[in-house]
Amino acid sequence: MRLRKASALAASVLALSLAATACGSSDDEGGDGGSDGAGSGGGDSITIGIKFDQPGLGLQTPDGDYAGFDVDVATYIAGELGYEPDQIEWVESPSAERENLLSRGDVDFIAATYSITPEREEQVSFAGPYLLAHQDLLMRVGETVSSPDEINELTLCSVAGSTSAQNVQNDFAPDAQLLEMGTYSECLTGLENGTVDALTTDDSILAGYASQEANQGKFELAGLELSNENYGVGIPKDDTELQQQINDALTSMVESGAWDQAVEDNFGPAGYEAEAAPAIGEIV
C-alpha cells in the first residue's frame, strides 16, 4: 500500500527530472511544478480482503454493497491510512485462500474472521486482534447438545482451511464425521436439508446466519465455548510498518467509540454479546 504511494512519488520525480533534462539550460518555462504528490489520493486505491457470504461480518449485499463488522473495521483502518471508502477495492477471501492472497500481493490486508494462530504466523503477519470470538455449533432448533462429548456422535460441517475444521479433528471431537465445504453458506444448506447435524465455526459467524430473516426460528447456537478465536488483520509477512499503522488505527477505533458502534450495528440485531475489545497484541 505505502509501496504503491512511494512508487507513484518516484514516478512523479522521474517525470520531472526527464522534463528538466529535455529543457537543458534554456530559459523556457518548464512547467508549473504543481504536482500534489503521493498524499493527494489521485487514482490510488487500497485492496482489502473480506468474506462475501458472512452476514454480520462480511457480506456482499444484493445491491453490490458490502456490510458487516469486518467491513466496518477495514473501512475505518483504510480511512486512518488516508483512503476514502470509494477508494477501497473489496476482494473475496475464502478461508483456504487468505495466505495465498497475501503472499501473491493480491490484497493489501485481510479482515475476514481471520484467527491468529502460530501456524498462520509462519506465512503471514497480523495486526490486532480486534475481536475475540469462540467456536460453537449451529443446530436445528430442538436438536442441541449439552456437552462437547456428544459432538463426537454428530456429522459436522465447516469450511476447508478454517481453524474450526482443524479444532474438530485435533481437539474436541476427533470421532465426529466432518464435512468440509468451500463456504459457510454451503454448510448452512446442508444443515437445513439434514445432510449434516451442525455447522461449526465461530459464534460471531453463526449468530449472523441465525439472525437472517430467512433463518429466524430454524436454527440456534448450542452455547458451547469450544475455543478462543482472536481475529486479526492479516498482512504480508514481516511488514512491521503496516502492522504498526493498523494497530494504531484499531486503537483509535476503540478509543473513539467507533468499535462499540460497529458491534452494536452488526451484532445487536442477532442478540450476540461480543467480548470487550481485546488489547492489541494480547492473544487469549
Side-chain angles (χ1 to χ4, degrees), residues 156-255:
L156 305 177
C157 187
S158 195
V159 168
S162 68
T163 56
S164 301
Q166 296 168 11
N167 290 341
V168 169
Q169 297 173 319
N170 300 334
D171 298 330
F172 59 81
D175 296 329
Q177 183 175 347
L178 178 64
L179 178 64
E180 296 186 72
M181 304 295 287
T183 66
Y184 293 112
S185 296
E186 294 174 274
C187 284
L188 192 67
T189 298
L191 179 60
E192 185 168 16
N193 63 30
T195 303
V196 298
D197 299 312
L199 161 57
T200 182
T201 187
D202 306 343
D203 51 8
S204 57
I205 299 172
L206 298 177
Y209 282 117
S211 68
Q212 286 187 298
E213 185 175 352
N215 297 329
Q216 291 177 7
K218 295 181 180 180
F219 310 112
E220 61 184 351
L221 275 71
L224 304 173
E225 292 188 1
L226 299 170
S227 69
N228 289 335
E229 303 298 331
N230 297 270
Y231 289 178
V233 178
I235 60 175
K237 182 68 174 174
D238 296 329
D239 190 339
T240 56
E241 181 181 2
L242 179 58
Q243 182 182 55
Q244 186 60 57
Q245 290 174 326
I246 294 178
N247 282 339
D248 290 344
L250 292 173
T251 299
S252 173
M253 186 176 188
V254 173
E255 292 178 348

Side-chain angles (χ1 to χ4, degrees), residues 43-236:
D44 263 0
S45 64
I46 185 169
T47 307
I48 304 174
I50 57 170
K51 295 292 181 66
F52 279 15
D53 69 333
Q54 290 182 353
L57 287 151
L59 182 69
Q60 185 178 37
T61 62
D63 59 4
D65 288 334
Y66 300 90
F69 183 73
D70 284 348
V71 175
D72 288 350
V73 169
T75 301
Y76 190 96
I77 292 170
E80 292 294 290
L81 295 175
Y83 294 89
E84 298 295 329
D86 62 2
Q87 292 179 291
I88 298 174
E89 178 185 346
W90 301 106
V91 175
E92 186 172 18
S93 301
S95 295
E97 284 298 310
R98 290 175 295 203
E99 288 81 17
N100 293 332
L101 289 167
L102 285 168
S103 64
R104 291 195 304 259
D106 294 341
V107 294
D108 292 308
F109 67 80
I110 290 178
T113 59
Y114 203 179
S115 297
I116 302 171
T117 68
E119 294 77 15
R120 288 171 176 167
E121 288 182 306
E122 293 178 1
Q123 301 180 63
V124 302
S125 293
F126 288 94
Y130 63 89
L131 185 72
L132 175 61
H134 306 283
Q135 186 168 351
D136 199 356
L137 305 181
L138 186 68
M139 305 183 71
R140 292 178 289 272
V141 170
E143 297 183 10
T144 190
V145 294
S146 58
S147 71
D149 289 341
E150 297 178 31
I151 302 174
N152 281 301
E153 303 173 8
L154 304 178
T155 299
L156 305 177
C157 187
S158 195
V159 168
S162 68
T163 56
S164 301
Q166 296 168 11
N167 290 341
V168 169
Q169 297 173 319
N170 300 334
D171 298 330
F172 59 81
D175 296 329
Q177 183 175 347
L178 178 64
L179 178 64
E180 296 186 72
M181 304 295 287
T183 66
Y184 293 112
S185 296
E186 294 174 274
C187 284
L188 192 67
T189 298
L191 179 60
E192 185 168 16
N193 63 30
T195 303
V196 298
D197 299 312
L199 161 57
T200 182
T201 187
D202 306 343
D203 51 8
S204 57
I205 299 172
L206 298 177
Y209 282 117
S211 68
Q212 286 187 298
E213 185 175 352
N215 297 329
Q216 291 177 7
K218 295 181 180 180
F219 310 112
E220 61 184 351
L221 275 71
L224 304 173
E225 292 188 1
L226 299 170
S227 69
N228 289 335
E229 303 298 331
N230 297 270
Y231 289 178
V233 178
I235 60 175

